[in-house]
Amino acid sequence: MDDPSAALPRIAYFSMEIALEDDVPTYSGGLGVLAGDMMRSAADLGVRMVGVTLASRAGYFRQEIVDGHQVEHPASWEPAQRARRLACKVVVTIGTREVWVGGWEYEVSTSCRQTASVPVILLDTDLPENREEDRALTHFLYGQDASYRLRQEIVLGVGGVRMLHALGIPVHKYHLNEGHSALLALELLRERGAAAASGRALELAVEAVRVQCVFTTHTPVEAGHDQYEHQLVEEQLGGLVVATLLRQLGGGARFNLTRLALALCGWVNGVADRHAETSRALFPGYDVHAVTNGVHALTWTSLPMQLVFDHHIPKWCHEPELLVRVLSVPDAEVVAAHAQSRQRLLHTAARYPGGAALQPQRMTLGFARRMTDYKRPGLLFSDLERLRALARRWPLQVLVAGKAHPHDEPGKRHIAKLLEWARQLEGEVPVVFLPDYGVSLARQLVAGVDVWLNTPLPPLEASGTSGMKAALNGVPSLSVLDGWWLEGWEEGVTGWAIGADGDQDAGRHAASLYDKLETAVLPAWHAADGRWAHIMKSAIARNGSYFNSHRMLRRYAAEAYWN
Ligand SMILES: *Cc1c(COP(=O)(O)O)cnc(C)c1O
């Protein structure tokens, strides 16, 4: 950061998780991957940004499957091996203690534009100055109890703002990626001398903070938002701003970080059109914009497909919109690139129980996501007889993957059930569970399966992004109408819908899923008439060209940052 442009203000992008590299465990799932893709697009496009997150030295966890159940192993990493230690330290008051916050600077860059990079600050309390308990505050991503998570959010929000100041990084706007970082806005209020303000003085300070802050909400249900008992918040945060202000800004019966962010951010958005609508209904009176998510095109396109694009569509990685031209690329090249990815994936999958039965002549359905109730991982298996009958007529196989949060018991039961169904279907429908879903496995899966399955209970999938990654690789989606798919869906062209828009009935969804497989998806895949190649190219041309993070970041830049 020692070039002259370093003095220009940046967008400070705060996120509890950021997926920096495949094997650096500073993320748990979609939110972190999105934040990482945002950083990668900022580097490619030269948008002056700085990411702020926690070091998460102890990571999320590594998943192993033992006797049909998830087993969690620690996934730690050493920041010193990948990042530069910052010379500054700042102090934050948490409860009655002063906690020192140091950090690391990690440079994000991509091979699309090797000369450019974006710094990410990884905050770290593991310092000799701190008491043992506080040293572990930045270790575990979404770990431990409510008090621990609130204290992490103080480190992220308050510590993050102070660190940027200590580093002399001027900030044009603060972007809050989900409510976890909302406490940063309280620090901005305090800086303006409004820690105990009321009346007109408070209004003026709030107005000034709102101009500085942009908030992206990702959760479509009230229960999904981070909430705490007021008493806990006052104990931990009382040193920052007075209790009356915390009550006033944190909303209702419990202190709600989304409410706080809505009160203190002047520009707010949901992550797909439908999600913005849902959020407006949830939070009447707020002007909620819609910026549909996207994925970093180069990161999520398989190497064989990259070579095809490089040859026919130079500069696609800088301007993924150009992928609309893929329709004129010879079918055989796209099909061959995908076949290479399929081969690699089936080779990987062969190492796991049941994997020996996988064959490239069967259509491969892929389902990989966080294992939790609303994603309904069992929908495809709701009628095993029907699934068997389908596979007798049209050879079919299934790859599944996903972690359940260590405290999500129903999520863990979904994994156990998937493994049980895999056993019951053995010899008829090969079903293989690939352990330890993370970025590197996701890259293989989205590129190597034939169809990407998505079965959330609507409207709970705010956006979803894995189907966008699949689209870049010519893999169509078979999905419930929710999140981004309402915008990306063209029946029989980019993929297929499961059920009708607005329907929440699991029975009807399952019936529709089997019907679509039987009458549309499997016949098209098994037909040898070029139909499938056209579907693959349409997924790339219509969805890969649009649902990428370059487009997403340009929209934030034009509408939220520099408008
Ligand atoms: C993309 C991605 C996600 C998010 O996928 P959804 O479709 O939003 O469920 C989660 N985990 C990993 C590892 C990913 O790469």
Side-chain angles (χ1 to χ4, degrees):
M1 280 194 286
D2 30 41
D3 64 297
S5 68
L8 295 172
R10 290 174 184 264
I11 304 303
Y13 187 82
F14 278 65
S15 183
M16 186 56 91
E17 46 174 313
I18 303 184
L20 300 167
E21 277 180 52
D22 286 14
D23 51 350
V24 171
T26 51
Y27 67 96
S28 81
L31 187 73
V33 173
L34 180 85
D37 283 355
M38 185 84 162
M39 297 299 109
R40 287 179 273 277
S41 279
D44 289 350
L45 295 175
V47 171
R48 286 189 313 279
M49 196 171 264
V50 52
V52 181
T53 188
L54 302 186
S56 297
R57 283 165 175 271
Y60 190 47
F61 68 91
R62 191 168 59 74
Q63 179 196 53
E64 194 191 0
I65 302 297
V66 179
D67 295 335
H69 295 274
Q70 167 172 303
V71 174
E72 297 125 30
H73 299 289
S76 49
W77 74 294
E78 178 45 61
Q81 289 176 356
R82 321 258 180 156
R84 193 173 60 78
R85 192 182 264 292
L86 296 174
C88 321
K89 287 175 208 172
V90 297
V91 71
V92 294
T93 305
I94 303 180
T96 54
R97 287 212 292 279
E98 308 231 293
V99 176
W100 284 93
V101 182
W104 305 84
E105 181 185 332
Y106 179 99
E107 292 287 330
V108 174
S109 64
T110 88
S111 57
C112 184
R113 185 157 171 251
Q114 269 150 345
T115 51
S117 70
V118 158
V120 172
I121 308 294
L122 300 151
L123 301 168
D124 190 356
T125 60
D126 193 355
L127 300 170
E129 294 88 325
N130 289 329
R131 298 185 16 167
E132 211 49 47
E133 185 190 346
D134 296 329
R135 291 184 70 153
L137 269 183
T138 51
H139 280 5
F140 302 97
L141 184 55
Y142 306 122
Q144 306 184 16
D145 57 6
S147 159
Y148 180 81
R149 281 202 295 281
L150 177 63
R151 286 177 288 146
Q152 285 193 319
E153 287 165 350
I154 298 173
V155 172
L156 177 65
V158 181
V161 170
R162 292 184 187 173
M163 183 59 85
L164 291 173
H165 292 338
L167 292 168
I169 299 177
V171 175
H172 174 62
K173 298 263 182 180
Y174 293 87
H175 190 158
L176 288 64
N177 188 40
E178 188 58 317
H180 307 122
S181 51
L183 300 177
L184 80 83
L186 288 179
E187 168 65 3
L188 299 180
L189 266 187
R190 192 202 57 82
E191 279 180 351
R192 294 181 177 275
S198 60
R200 186 71 189 134
L202 179 62
E203 273 172 32
L204 287 172
V206 166
E207 266 325 300
V209 170
R210 284 171 56 84
V211 171
Q212 286 180 281
C213 293
V214 169
F215 173 45
T216 301
T217 173
H218 291 262
T219 319
V221 280
E222 182 84 39
H225 296 122
D226 243 346
Q227 300 180 47
Y228 299 101
E229 299 302 329
H230 282 290
Q231 195 194 340
L232 175 69
V233 175
E234 284 156 26
E235 275 165 21
Q236 302 295 338
L237 263 177
L240 191 74
V241 298
V242 298
T244 45
L245 203 53
L246 291 171
R247 296 248 171 188
Q248 188 180 338
L249 297 170
R254 307 183 77 203
F255 184 86
N256 182 324
L257 284 168
T258 299
R259 293 270 170 200
L260 179 70
L262 288 168
L264 293 176
C265 296
W267 202 93
V268 176
N269 75 289
V271 290
D273 290 344
R274 176 59 56 84
H275 175 237
E277 271 170 43
T278 313
S279 303
R280 280 177 216 125
L282 208 54
F283 306 111
Y286 292 96
D287 183 14
V288 182
H289 301 259
V291 178
T292 302
N293 279 342
V295 298
H296 188 257
L298 183 64
T299 298
W300 292 104
T301 302
S302 72
L303 273 177
M305 200 63 84
Q306 285 183 26
L307 294 177
V308 174
F309 296 166
D310 286 345
H311 181 70
H312 294 278
I313 314 172
K315 304 209 179 109
W316 68 278
C317 80
H318 182 72
E319 211 177 347
E321 291 86 338
L322 294 172
L323 291 173
V324 295
R325 299 192 189 152
V326 82
L327 291 175
S328 54
V329 172
D331 288 1
E333 293 187 33
V334 171
V335 169
H338 178 261
Q340 278 188 47
S341 298
R342 180 201 290 122
Q343 191 181 15
R344 172 150 184 255
L345 174 63
L346 295 186
H347 184 75
T348 301
R351 299 205 300 265
Y352 298 101
L358 298 169
Q359 295 172 348
Q361 301 86 335
R362 294 174 179 270
M363 190 188 88
T364 310
L365 266 179
F367 180 93
R369 46 207 74 242
R370 188 153 52 88
M371 289 294 165
T372 195
D373 268 347
Y374 89 84
K375 303 261 194 187
R376 299 191 300 185
L379 200 75
L380 175 66
F381 304 97
S382 27
D383 185 345
L384 296 186
E385 248 342 286
R386 180 121 195 236
L387 194 57
R388 286 190 182 98
L390 272 179
R392 275 194 296 274
R393 180 144 177 240
W394 310 103
L396 172 67
Q397 59 197 6
V398 188
L399 295 180
V400 287
K403 294 176 178 176
H405 186 281
H407 298 161
D408 184 356
E409 290 305 326
K412 291 184 184 179
R413 280 197 293 278
H414 283 299
I415 294 176
K417 274 195 254 162
L418 285 170
L419 290 155
E420 173 57 25
W421 288 319
R423 207 187 48 72
Q424 291 177 20
L425 291 165
E426 212 175 304
E428 295 162 289
V429 192
V431 178
V432 179
F433 190 100
L434 304 178
D436 205 34
Y437 185 49
V439 167
S440 43
L441 179 56
R443 280 164 49 166
Q444 282 196 49
L445 274 165
V446 297
V449 301
D450 296 306
V451 175
W452 195 250
L453 181 65
N454 184 38
T455 55
L457 175 66
L460 300 189
E461 192 65 275
S463 165
T465 51
S466 54
M468 304 172 181
K469 302 166 189 169
L472 279 163
N473 293 286
V475 172
S477 284
L478 171 58
S479 170
V480 164
L481 289 167
D482 200 12
W484 81 281
W485 188 236
L486 285 154
E487 296 160 58
W489 163 57
E490 277 182 69
E491 187 71 10
V493 179
T494 58
W496 302 265
I498 298 170
D501 185 10
D503 192 1
Q504 292 191 307
D505 185 82
R508 279 195 295 271
H509 280 165
S512 166
L513 166 55
Y514 295 125
D515 289 347
K516 284 285 161 79
L517 279 171
E518 181 167 8
T519 61
V521 187
L522 284 158
W525 193 83
H526 284 281
D529 58 0
R531 236 186 292 172
W532 197 262
H534 188 70
I535 290 171
M536 293 180 73
K537 295 203 302 191
S538 303
I540 300 168
R542 293 172 187 251
N543 287 346
S545 67
Y546 181 81
F547 295 97
N548 58 74
S549 51
H550 279 31
R551 185 258 322 148
M552 172 177 74
L553 177 54
R554 289 199 195 98
R555 282 205 55 201
Y556 280 118
E559 295 167 49
Y561 302 160
W562 282 288
N563 62 347

